[in-house]
Amino acid sequence: SQKIEQNSEALNIQEGKTATLTCNYTNYSPAYLQWYRQDPGRGPVFLLLIRENEKEKRKERLKVTFDTTLKQSLFHITASQPADSATYLCALTGGFKTIFGAGTRLFVKA
Amino acid sequence: GAVVSQHPSRVICKSGTSVKIECRSLDFQATTMFWYRQFPKQSLMLMATSNEGSKATYEQGVEKDKFLINHASLTLSTLTVTSAHPEDSSFYICSASETSGGVYNEQFFGPGTRLTVL
């Protein structure tokens, strides 16, 4: 069955460092991969989308890579800030359906 | 940007009662709306997809008669949890898309509704 794996343990980093989150998937060939931010008790907020034929996408302090051979996406936040603390969800879209990972909780310490 | 609202944000009800959750697209017409359910520290699980004016398509394992979905207009969809039980307690999130069909339709998410069934 289709499966998405994200770091189940929380990621703790120091302010100013780069946070790197991982999304691995199996039994799936997504056409698109998205990253969302979700704060406690809130709905997800769209951050970035990357297509299957793209290797890398950037938006301000965010960078996403997509390796369809490894079936992996990496999500980077550079110059991290305490305000970046949240849960980050990876989502894959293919075959007219989108599935979500469970998310990785990021804590950025001042 | 596209804004989606949900009402209520929190609801507590007694077991056996029905609860209606509204999802509205405030500044765009939502051809397609999605309803998700999320348990703590788990991923969003798609419950159903609804297109305006037609019946919702439910995911496998989701009871149609228990989770009634109505998408009567291009800006409003409702989810009614009928005869709610404590195991229905969860975080319900809707999303809306301006287009239908195609491989990818950007979804704009609502803020979610926390349902607690006593």
Side-chain angles (χ1 to χ4, degrees), chain A residues 32 38 43 49 93 96-97 100-101, chain B residues 38 43 59 102-104 110-111:
Chain A
Y32 301 87
Q38 187 175 25
L49 175 147
T93 299
F96 304 98
K97 182 172 281 192
F100 288 82
Chain B
Q38 187 179 34
S43 63
E59 294 300 301
V103 177
Y104 177 72

Side-chain angles (χ1 to χ4, degrees), chain A residues 37-45, chain B residues 2-10 21-26 35-36 38 44 91-96 108-114:
Chain A
R37 170 182 174 142
Q38 187 175 25
D39 290 287
R42 306 292 295 174
V45 174
Chain B
V3 179
V4 176
S5 69
Q6 275 185 247
H7 178 79
S9 57
R10 290 178 178 270
I21 302 170
E22 291 186 350
C23 177
R24 292 182 184 275
S25 58
L26 300 185
W35 285 96
Y36 294 85
Q38 187 179 34
L44 280 73
F91 192 50
Y92 292 86
I93 307 173
C94 75
S95 71
F108 303 97
F109 285 85
T113 296
R114 172 73 59 191

Side-chain angles (χ1 to χ4, degrees), chain B residues 41-87:
Chain B
K41 296 185 179 181
Q42 294 189 24
S43 63
L44 280 73
M45 297 302 297
L46 181 64
M47 299 174 66
T49 303
S50 72
N51 291 297
E52 183 265 338
S54 58
K55 288 185 178 180
T57 301
Y58 289 80
E59 294 300 301
Q60 192 173 9
V62 178
E63 299 176 57
K64 299 178 185 182
D65 295 332
K66 181 160 186 65
F67 298 100
L68 301 178
I69 291 172
N70 184 281
H71 190 168
S73 77
L74 285 172
T75 59
L76 174 64
S77 176
T78 60
L79 167 67
T80 302
V81 183
T82 61
S83 186
H85 291 284
E87 57 266 30

